[in-house]
Amino acid sequence: MIVLRRLASALPSLVGVIIVTFLLTRALPGDPAAYFAGPAATPQAVEEIRHKLGLDRSLPAQFIDYLRALAHGDFGNSVSTGQPVAHELLTRLPASAELTFVALFLSISIAVPLGIAAATRQGSWVDHACRIVTTAGVSLPVFFTGLLLIYVLYYLLGWAPAPLGRLDIFVSAPNFHTGFYLIDSLVDGDLETFRAALAQIALPAFSRAVFSLAPLARVTRASMLAALGSDFVRTARASGLSRRRVVYVYAFRNAVLPVITTMGMVFSFLLGANVLIEKVFVWPGIGSYAIEALIASDYAPVQGFVLTMASLYVLLNLAIDVIYGIVDPRVRISA
């Protein structure tokens, strides 16, 4: 019932996203018909393309056609590529999702232990290191971090492969199982492709992780400090329980809900803000696809991208609510 209520409450948001996206794409500067007709096209040719695209109709009529297409799962066709937008998004989404999951894994692996160590050792070098890392993480733009890593690790040292997509040009893509090259190559037992995919994704994922680990480490540290100063932790210590049990079983379990909330926010931000990293590393994800369509005033891909991201954000919030109920049953009862 909780899941159904969450989905029902998200429907007005999705409707608002559809309306706002449709209106904003029509407000973009430039004429798509003139863009695709070319600079040498006659006014008659431009009008023919505008009629073919349906841009000569009124906005309400265009919006009704758009809703009818969405009802049938049709996001329209990209004028730039001539391909259905839904097919393009499904083809490119695994690349963005894989990059996001790897970056989130790196963020959690670094930020959560760092935040716990900083909270349990206040004033130590670990605490100061946590503050330096979090400050640098939020201060450095993600594209600057990516370019810096490329310059040092690829150009100067030659340790990293060329930042030209998901795989080196001499390595073939694995058979499709999930769309995630790391998983698909392991399923096929192809360790060479796995190593090549891991080498390609390392720099862009770490560039994203540097920025996203800052809020995770800050929230983990603050939540742990609050939990460690609570009465039940003092009681557990007075009962003679081991330090590890007090920190990880009692304190961290009660401090984990704000961390989960921040993880959800970080994940949604990573998925939506992959655009810069995808352009820097020539990553064939949905972010770079949307930017290319935006530059070309190609309405359908931009609308499909925004609607896809909004749907993923709703599903992510739903997943966080479910995880809340698993971690703390009191949340499920109060809901």
Side-chain angles (χ1 to χ4, degrees):
M1 292 299 295
I2 297 177
V3 174
L4 294 178
R5 285 201 300 268
R6 296 295 187 185
L7 287 176
S9 63
L11 288 178
S13 300
L14 291 177
V15 172
V17 167
I18 292 174
I19 296 174
V20 172
T21 305
F22 177 84
L23 295 177
L24 287 180
T25 51
R26 267 56 182 182
L28 290 174
D31 185 358
Y35 178 86
F36 289 104
T42 63
Q44 182 180 359
V46 174
E47 287 299 324
E48 290 178 357
I49 294 178
R50 184 176 290 110
H51 176 73
K52 184 178 180 180
L53 296 176
L55 299 176
D56 57 343
R57 306 182 65 188
S58 63
L59 279 180
Q62 294 182 44
F63 184 65
I64 291 174
D65 291 340
Y66 178 57
L67 291 180
R68 287 173 180 170
L70 283 181
H72 294 86
D74 182 11
F75 286 3
N77 291 335
S78 171
V79 181
S80 304
T81 63
Q83 298 295 320
V85 173
H87 177 265
E88 294 269 10
L89 291 175
L90 288 175
T91 302
R92 291 171 172 264
L93 183 59
S96 295
E98 184 177 37
L99 177 59
T100 301
F101 279 121
V102 173
L104 183 65
F105 174 77
L106 289 174
S107 299
I108 295 173
S109 301
I110 299 172
V112 173
L114 184 61
I116 294 175
T120 54
R121 297 175 176 86
Q122 278 187 278
S124 67
W125 68 268
V126 178
D127 194 12
H128 293 303
C130 179
R131 293 176 182 177
I132 293 173
V133 169
T134 54
T135 303
V138 298
S139 302
L140 297 176
V142 63
F143 66 89
F144 175 79
T145 305
L147 292 173
L148 182 63
L149 290 176
I150 292 174
Y151 178 72
V152 174
L153 298 180
Y154 167 66
Y155 181 74
L156 292 181
L157 301 177
W159 293 351
L164 297 175
R166 302 180 72 184
L167 282 176
D168 189 87
I169 58 175
F170 300 106
V171 180
S172 300
N175 297 321
F176 183 88
H177 299 287
T178 62
F180 290 15
Y181 281 4
L182 295 176
I183 297 177
D184 292 348
S185 58
L186 288 178
V187 171
D188 292 339
D190 189 351
L191 295 181
E192 181 181 354
T193 302
F194 175 80
R195 286 192 293 266
L198 185 62
Q200 290 292 137
I201 203 174
L203 287 189
F206 187 74
S207 300
R208 299 299 296 118
V210 168
F211 184 85
S212 58
L213 67 84
L216 276 175
R218 284 178 179 271
V219 171
T220 302
R221 180 182 181 275
S223 300
M224 283 295 296
L225 286 175
L228 290 172
S230 58
D231 293 336
F232 65 88
V233 170
R234 285 194 290 268
T235 303
R237 286 172 174 167
S239 300
L241 297 177
S242 64
R243 181 178 180 276
R244 179 180 294 272
R245 184 174 179 83
V246 170
V247 171
Y248 292 101
V249 176
Y250 288 89
F252 182 67
R253 185 173 181 180
N254 284 273
V256 76
L257 286 183
V259 178
I260 293 176
T261 302
T262 308
M263 286 181 186
M265 296 172 58
V266 166
F267 181 81
S268 61
F269 175 79
L270 287 174
L271 192 58
N274 271 339
V275 175
L276 294 175
I277 286 297
E278 288 180 4
K279 296 303 292 184
V280 170
F281 289 90
V282 198
W283 199 262
I286 59 175
S288 58
Y289 174 64
I291 286 296
E292 293 165 3
L294 188 64
I295 294 174
S297 298
D298 196 354
Y299 295 154
V302 177
Q303 294 172 169
F305 169 77
V306 175
L307 186 57
T308 300
M309 297 305 302
S311 302
L312 290 175
Y313 187 75
V314 169
L315 294 176
L316 177 63
N317 285 333
L318 179 62
I320 292 174
D321 291 338
V322 173
I323 294 173
Y324 269 9
I326 295 174
V327 174
D328 190 348
R330 293 173 299 177
V331 176
R332 186 168 49 205
I333 294 173
S334 63

